[in-house]
Amino acid sequence: MKKRTTKKILSILLAASILLGAAGCAAARAADLMGGVSPNPVNGRQADATFTESMADFSIKLFKSGITDKENSLISPLSVTLALAMAANGANGETRTQMETLLGGGIPLPALNEYLYSYAKGLPNTEQAKLTTANAIWFCDDKNRLRVEPDFLQKNADYYGAAAFQSAFDAQTVKEINSWVKTNTNGMIDSILDKIDPAELMYLINAVAFDAKWQNVYYKESIESGGFTDIDGAIQSADFMYSAEDQYLDDGMATGFVKPYAGGGYSFVALLPNEGVSIEDYIASLSGSGFLETLHSARSVTVNAYLPKFSYDYEVTMNDALIGLGIPDAFNPDIADFSKMGTSPEGPLYIGKVLHKTFISVDELGTKAGAVTIVAMDAGAAAPTEEPKTVRLNRPFVYAIVDNATNLPVFLGTVMRVG
């Protein structure tokens, strides 16, 4: 079989999610094709059990597949979903079916667009808890190399508010994309590209930025030094922030707590594997339905919570994970069908790589991260005779930032070491 020329979709996610790129065009600054063009009015669809359960399932599967052995990790299911959903609007045939199955558990793409439109627009964004998302499509301006379908651009403008830029895919384009990423992540991620591969023709980019204050901030007297036993068994010095929380989690293999952010729209969720349960075994046991059930079953019990301060960034290529999760055709140049996205005389379009880059900082005042989902809690009456619980996060643990209205994680991560 004749080998086809590579045409790549690059998805750089979180504070940046990008898809499909290319080089070799004439030098020129990017032209905004959507300037002055208003998206068409579309119908939204409010999150229901079908959508929430499928999103939770994808979030946990993505989290488990994106972990780097023994290292801190962090993914934004929201960012990955939005970037891949934009790409799915250019897919056809079995490629599209596989993407619908992975992203929405089989929800047809027109309905998934409606769900995601309402979900993203409904995420709280206040002065105390800011969450912003942005989407953009960049493609090579050489029509002899790529012709983009107008309906593909229009659909992503309608449902995802995506700007579209024709660009010369040269060094100037790299600067412009990195500037866009930095702006739309509030400086938390300052770059995503160092060069453009000559084979790449288009990028679909999603950016998510989260910056929220705790509902109850920590004060100096609430911080104490202590030891954190890292994934290799070494003791690291850490600053632990103490607070008394009122939502206790216990899923049988881990205990944890929920700490709300100001405004009530988002919460930080921490889950510490029980003694004798390794972090690897605990992560392997996680499921979307189990995660939602753990949050729904939160008990109103006083929790003496000790949270270490931490800050790190994370980057992962998600090709193998997404292929393993069920969309192999999208990455195969001999099978991929993105005919609704555009055409190129050099060969069919397919996904070349999916990159995910994240940043998080947790301290006395709150949390800054590239994307967030915060889970809603069930607050029942506390058992009158139940003693306070203590959860000290002094060894590897799992955490999430969740959207309280849906309990869906915008961010999911692990802390394997604090230094």
Side-chain angles (χ1 to χ4, degrees), residues 40-373:
N40 294 322
V42 295
N43 295 321
R45 188 176 298 215
Q46 294 303 312
D48 56 18
T50 299
F51 172 74
T52 301
E53 290 168 8
S54 64
M55 282 287 291
D57 184 60
F58 174 61
S59 296
I60 296 298
K61 286 179 177 177
L62 188 71
F63 167 63
K64 292 164 75 168
S65 298
I67 290 172
T68 300
D69 188 39
K70 292 190 174 184
E71 298 298 329
N72 294 341
S73 62
L74 178 63
I75 61 104
S76 170
L78 173 64
S79 184
V80 177
T81 298
L82 293 177
L84 289 179
M86 288 197 295
N89 279 297
N92 205 5
E94 180 62 18
T95 302
R96 173 166 162 164
T97 299
Q98 289 180 2
M99 298 185 80
E100 288 174 331
T101 300
L102 176 62
L103 295 174
I107 296 173
L109 187 58
L112 184 61
N113 283 332
E114 293 174 359
Y115 277 123
L116 290 172
Y117 172 80
S118 294
Y119 173 56
K121 286 183 69 70
L123 289 169
N125 180 27
T126 67
E127 280 301 312
Q128 295 175 311
K130 298 177 182 177
L131 175 66
T132 58
T133 65
N135 298 301
I137 302 170
W138 300 69
F139 59 91
C140 178
D141 61 4
D142 187 345
K143 290 184 174 59
N144 292 320
R145 299 194 66 208
L146 175 68
R147 291 186 179 274
V148 179
E149 291 293 331
D151 185 64
F152 165 74
L153 297 179
Q154 187 64 56
K155 193 158 290 182
N156 281 317
D158 294 345
Y159 287 99
Y160 301 95
F165 299 96
Q166 267 188 321
S167 176
F169 275 49
D170 55 9
Q172 178 61 33
T173 304
V174 172
K175 291 180 181 178
E176 292 176 359
I177 289 176
N178 286 338
S179 176
W180 187 94
V181 166
K182 185 175 182 178
T183 297
N184 286 286
T185 60
N186 297 330
M188 286 181 280
I189 296 178
D190 58 11
S191 67
I192 196 68
L193 293 177
D194 53 13
K195 64 178 181 179
I196 294 176
D197 189 294
E200 294 170 347
L201 286 175
M202 183 186 295
Y203 294 102
L204 298 177
I205 311 174
N206 166 263
V208 182
F210 178 75
D211 187 352
K213 293 181 172 60
W214 299 120
Q215 188 175 85
N216 295 306
V217 300
Y218 297 93
Y219 295 97
K220 185 176 181 179
E221 56 270 21
S222 300
I223 301 173
E224 61 181 53
S225 297
F228 181 94
T229 303
D230 71 16
I231 188 65
D232 294 317
I235 305 298
Q236 297 181 295
S237 178
D239 288 331
F240 287 89
M241 304 179 291
Y242 167 78
S243 63
E245 304 302 334
D246 59 12
Q247 294 293 305
Y248 178 66
L249 304 174
D250 186 345
D251 65 5
M253 294 184 68
T255 58
F257 59 87
V258 178
K259 183 175 179 63
Y261 292 101
Y266 300 95
S267 294
F268 182 91
V269 174
L271 290 162
L272 178 70
N274 297 339
E275 291 282 2
V277 177
S278 70
I279 187 73
E280 295 88 354
D281 287 345
Y282 180 64
I283 291 170
S285 76
L286 291 174
S287 68
S289 60
F291 181 82
L292 293 175
E293 178 59 28
T294 297
L295 290 168
H296 283 306
S297 301
R299 286 152 52 195
S300 283
V301 179
T302 298
V303 186
N304 296 311
Y306 295 84
L307 171 65
K309 290 197 284 186
F310 62 90
S311 177
Y312 62 87
D313 52 27
Y314 181 67
E315 184 171 356
V316 61
T317 299
M318 289 190 158
N319 293 33
D320 291 343
L322 292 169
I323 290 170
L325 289 175
I327 56 170
D329 287 13
F331 293 86
N332 189 328
D334 294 322
I335 300 175
D337 184 352
F338 285 99
S339 55
K340 289 189 174 183
M341 181 179 290
T343 57
S344 171
E346 298 175 19
L349 301 176
Y350 72 99
I351 295 179
K353 57 185 172 182
V354 176
L355 302 179
H356 191 55
K357 190 173 183 180
T358 56
F359 167 84
I360 189 166
S361 175
V362 174
D363 61 19
E364 301 95 322
L365 299 180
T367 300
K368 293 183 179 181
V372 178
T373 297

